[in-house]
Amino acid sequence: MTDEELALSYIDGNNRAFDLLLSRNQAKLFSYIVFVVHDRDLAEDIFQETFVKVITKLQQRKYTTSGKFGAWIMRIAHNVIMDWYREQKSDKIVEPTLENDLSNISDGDILDGNIENEYVNNQVMSDVRKLMNFLPAPQREVVYMRFFQQLSFKEISETTNVSINTALGRMRYAIINLRRMAKEYNVALQLD
């Protein structure tokens, strides 16, 4: 029997059909979830929640054979993952200081150079702090944690409860935005 036929058989009351569906699809589905979330424990939780939703939707007769069963459960897994990310998104925003004033952060630990370069570097860091205020909060957070708290992307992802890829993506967009703003306002952001 095909997966679609097994799903319809389960809807009609054949519990063994569901066992076959699970055994056929669990490895591929679990691999997909692990690939997206990069955390085996979290993947196991999402996998279980996905199959609870699959069972519920089958029992409510919300499955139709309009497409492949494997694609249908992948879509359910994707939705469960996205729901989890939405729940985590706003929990861990780091607020640097009052009104995002980063002037209390010493750039002496970040920048090395001689006395001649110190003035230029101080000006660049001052400009970066000002431009950072215009970044969206998630991007500002990653820049702050990476350059001012010197956290690794792994530490940032753990602190903010996002994947490393999301943290890297936020940094990428922050740099793109900072470069765009620097060009727009004729600000030189090159350290000596």
Side-chain angles (χ1 to χ4, degrees), residues 26-82:
Q26 68 184 7
K28 183 178 177 183
L29 183 65
F30 187 73
S31 296
Y32 163 73
I33 295 169
V34 169
F35 177 78
V36 173
V37 301
H38 302 287
D39 180 321
R40 193 166 188 83
D41 292 334
L42 174 61
E44 288 173 4
D45 292 343
I46 289 174
F47 178 81
Q48 289 176 2
E49 187 175 341
T50 298
F51 264 95
V52 167
K53 289 192 182 228
V54 167
I55 290 168
T56 302
K57 288 183 183 298
L58 287 172
Q59 289 175 345
Q60 294 171 345
R61 299 184 177 273
K62 292 187 177 179
Y63 174 73
T64 59
T65 56
S66 60
K68 290 195 167 216
F69 181 80
W72 183 69
I73 62 173
M74 290 287 197
R75 189 169 48 249
I76 292 172
H78 170 79
N79 291 339
V80 170
I81 292 167
M82 292 301 107

Side-chain angles (χ1 to χ4, degrees), residues 99-112:
E99 297 177 19
N100 295 322
D101 177 17
L102 301 175
S103 62
N104 63 337
I105 298 173
S106 170
D107 51 44
D109 296 333
I110 300 171
L111 305 173
D112 291 341

Side-chain angles (χ1 to χ4, degrees), residues 142-164:
V142 171
V143 171
Y144 177 79
M145 296 171 93
R146 180 72 178 126
F147 292 107
F148 296 100
Q149 293 181 328
Q150 298 179 335
L151 297 179
S152 69
F153 282 106
K154 181 179 182 192
E155 293 168 322
I156 292 169
S157 74
E158 290 170 355
T159 302
T160 58
N161 283 330
V162 299
S163 70
I164 291 177

